[in-house]
Amino acid sequence: MVNRAPIKALAFDVFGTVVDWRSGIARDAAPVLARLNRSDIDPHVFADGWRKRYQPALEEVRSGRRPFVILDTLHREALEDLLRHHRIDPAAIDDATLDDLTHAWHRLDPWPDSVEGLTRLKTRFPIVTLSNGNIALMLDMARRAGLPWDAILGAEVSRVYKPLPESYLATARLLAIDPSELCLVAAHHSDLAAARAAGLQTAYVDRPHEYGGRAAPDADAAQDWDVSVGSLTQLADELCR
């Protein structure tokens, strides 16, 4: 952190950094797949397939090919595409079931260190979300998981999806601080690389189980981040001295 501006706020990526999306989606998909008599589909593979559709859906908005829509909408569309991929007709499933499964993204569990780490970090810094998740999603997740955000910011507020530079710069503007005074906390090297390019400070949190133990798809984007830790409690140890 040598020659860096003092950190005035921490902004957090959420999916994978603060919460375990893969286990949560698999948990909620399993009974639906069972009711469909599709025991051949591994719920964790189903979760991976859903997540795989995430960035292509965002890119349609980032590129300007489609107007801004919230992540809940993109998740529902991706779910229907994933079902068709597995030769399941979404039209044969009632809307209540599809809506509930889409909202599995609202019910993700935090990593074991997340609540304690965030609570400790909050004693020193404002802590906000900088997520592609929409406000209702982030709010439901926070209330269920006990995530003590000071504010829910991100794509629905800025109307821009990461990793476009404006997503990071808008967050700094909303907090009335310089980008160099904002630190992004994330488990994804590509997210941190984009934040650094926009002038933010960077804190990497290693989440080796995000992809079930497999290497992260953006592992080749790793850099020498300002801080690198193995948990949010370790980040609190580093920043709350």
Side-chain angles (χ1 to χ4, degrees):
M1 307 298 287
V2 177
N3 296 325
R4 300 290 291 178
I7 295 172
K8 292 188 177 179
L10 300 175
F12 289 78
D13 172 68
V14 178
F15 298 112
T17 300
V18 178
V19 299
D20 176 6
W21 60 265
R22 190 171 189 263
S23 297
I25 296 303
R27 176 194 63 216
D28 281 20
V32 176
L33 294 172
R35 291 197 299 272
L36 294 169
N37 296 314
R38 292 303 303 269
S39 59
D40 59 307
I41 304 174
D42 184 319
H44 287 89
V45 173
F46 190 84
D48 291 337
W50 202 347
R51 185 67 170 178
K52 184 179 180 180
R53 287 159 170 77
Y54 175 71
Q55 286 297 339
L58 295 180
E59 184 57 25
E60 287 299 302
V61 179
R62 286 191 296 247
S63 67
R65 288 189 292 270
R66 96 178 269 188
F68 183 87
V69 294
I70 63 172
L71 189 59
D72 274 343
T73 300
L74 298 178
H75 274 158
R76 173 62 178 267
E77 293 172 355
L79 172 60
E80 294 187 10
D81 182 69
L82 177 62
L83 290 168
R84 286 189 289 267
H85 171 77
H86 287 291
R87 301 181 305 282
I88 299 169
D89 182 3
I93 304 173
D94 62 277
D95 274 344
T97 296
L98 292 175
D99 286 345
D100 185 67
L101 186 51
T102 299
H103 281 76
W105 293 93
H106 294 224
R107 299 188 292 267
L108 303 178
D109 294 331
W111 295 110
D113 56 273
S114 290
V115 174
E116 179 187 348
L118 290 173
T119 300
R120 288 175 55 198
L121 289 162
K122 183 173 177 169
T123 65
R124 179 75 178 272
F125 307 97
I127 60 170
V128 304
T129 65
L130 206 176
S131 170
N132 286 330
N134 49 287
I135 294 170
L137 189 164
M138 291 286 107
L139 181 60
D140 286 347
M141 182 193 296
R143 289 180 60 81
R144 180 182 179 276
L147 306 174
W149 305 120
D150 286 306
I152 293 174
L153 304 178
E156 192 174 4
V157 179
S158 68
R159 313 297 282 184
V160 178
Y161 280 120
K162 295 189 297 179
L164 291 178
E166 178 60 17
S167 63
Y168 309 100
L169 298 174
T171 301
R173 284 200 307 274
L174 287 163
L175 296 172
I177 60 177
D178 190 82
S180 66
E181 298 170 324
L182 180 62
C183 179
L184 178 70
V185 182
H188 309 120
H189 297 296
S190 55
D191 196 1
L192 292 168
R196 171 173 278 177
L200 275 64
Q201 297 188 48
T202 54
Y204 172 70
V205 184
D206 189 33
R207 296 299 192 193
H209 301 296
E210 179 180 0
Y211 298 95
R214 300 191 312 277
D218 65 348
D220 60 348
Q223 299 181 27
D224 182 16
W225 307 117
D226 298 312
V227 179
S228 293
V229 294
S231 67
L232 292 183
T233 49
Q234 186 180 353
L235 183 64
D237 292 340
E238 291 285 329
L239 297 184
C240 298
R241 294 173 177 173

